[in-house]
Amino acid sequence: MSKPQLGYWKIRGLASNLRYQLAYQGVDYEMVEYEQGDDHNVECWTSVKYTLGMEFPNLPYLIDGDFKMSETIPIHKYIADKWNPELCGKDAQTKAHANMLGNVLNEIKNAVTWPCYGSGDIEAIKKEIAEGAKLQKVVEFLGGKKFLTGDDVTWVDFYFVEMIELMSKQHEGLFEKYPTLKTYKDSVFALPKLAEYLASDSCKEKTYPFNNKSAKLNFSS
């Protein structure tokens, strides 16, 4: 059987979190990358977008044999469910918490990413990070737990830890404001196999920017 393929732009964006999960789960996959032109041309993607046989073609996408899908959070859940079901949550309540947090975190992710491509207002992003009610609620929910839903890692932790990486670049005072996020990040990045990936020469996160070339604000790794 061919390796699963993860398709995305040649940036961190919405792919690093998926790469973290794939690394932790030990899934042997192929990364298919599309690089935006210096003139912000995206033809490398649009020219093949509707040739992949996907119902809802978008980036990121996952192709696993004859199965094809898109959308970040559903891909997280699929990877977990197929290769390590415990990452979905060990019981109904844990699964529900992970799914709930995924939706909440998606709103925060949009709030700190959209201005990078739209207004370019870094102060608005810093205010969202320092004062945003939803991030504060997530930090309260995390409390002193090792992972978001408790002692065991779930798929949503890989999504959140990359958001923390981005926010720490956008707001240098993130860990001073929320010290538990630093402890949490260290716990996730110390996970077996993920730590090995992060230390390896194949780790794309060492060199890739967070946003695409068309962004008014970008942040280096």
Side-chain angles (χ1 to χ4, degrees):
M1 294 181 62
S2 59
K3 298 178 183 180
Q5 293 182 329
L6 176 64
Y8 195 63
W9 298 109
K10 194 176 179 180
I11 61 172
R12 291 178 69 150
L14 291 170
S16 289
N17 39 290
L18 294 167
R19 285 193 285 262
Y20 297 157
Q21 186 176 337
L22 287 161
Y24 172 72
Q25 294 185 226
V27 179
D28 186 14
Y29 70 99
E30 176 187 353
M31 192 74 216
V32 180
E33 295 181 315
Y34 304 89
E35 186 169 12
Q36 190 176 63
D38 291 337
D39 59 354
H40 304 168
N41 186 292
V42 295
E43 189 177 355
C44 60
W45 163 239
T46 57
S47 63
V48 300
K49 181 176 181 178
Y50 295 104
T51 68
L52 299 173
M54 306 184 72
E55 294 92 346
F56 303 99
N58 201 1
L59 295 173
Y61 66 71
L62 182 74
I63 298 177
D64 182 21
D66 293 331
F67 180 72
K68 303 174 182 181
M69 67 177 298
S70 59
E71 305 303 328
T72 309
I73 289 178
I75 292 174
H76 271 295
K77 294 179 182 180
Y78 176 84
I79 294 169
D81 193 38
K82 176 163 183 179
W83 287 289
N84 188 347
E86 290 185 359
L87 287 180
C88 294
K90 61 183 179 181
D91 53 40
Q93 289 77 19
T94 305
K95 291 176 183 177
H97 273 148
N99 292 339
M100 174 184 70
L101 286 161
N103 286 3
V104 172
L105 293 174
N106 187 54
E107 292 183 34
I108 300 171
K109 169 67 174 172
N110 289 337
V112 299
T113 300
W114 287 347
C116 295
Y117 291 88
S119 66
D121 188 348
I122 187 62
E123 294 306 318
I125 296 174
K126 288 182 177 180
K127 184 175 181 180
E128 180 67 31
I129 293 171
E131 303 176 18
K134 288 206 168 178
L135 179 58
Q136 292 181 25
K137 287 292 186 182
V138 171
V139 173
E140 289 174 13
F141 184 88
L142 172 64
K145 297 194 297 292
K146 186 174 184 179
F147 301 111
L148 276 173
T149 61
D151 293 333
D152 300 315
V153 62
T154 60
W155 65 266
V156 77
D157 291 300
F158 301 104
Y159 186 50
F160 188 36
V161 77
E162 179 63 4
M163 286 175 54
I164 293 173
E165 282 280 270
L166 172 61
M167 291 189 294
S168 69
K169 299 292 184 181
Q170 295 171 321
H171 193 326
E172 292 180 356
L174 175 70
F175 296 133
E176 182 178 349
K177 172 77 174 179
Y178 303 117
T180 54
L181 292 185
K182 178 63 166 62
T183 304
Y184 167 80
K185 186 189 87 162
D186 291 344
S187 294
V188 176
F189 281 166
L191 287 167
K193 294 184 180 178
L194 175 53
E196 294 174 19
Y197 166 71
L198 293 171
S200 70
D201 292 338
S202 62
C203 178
K204 297 178 182 295
E205 285 64 39
K206 291 179 178 179
T207 57
Y208 280 16
F210 282 89
N211 297 326
N212 231 328
K213 295 177 182 179
S214 57
K216 295 177 181 177
L217 293 173
N218 213 336
F219 307 90
S220 58
S221 299

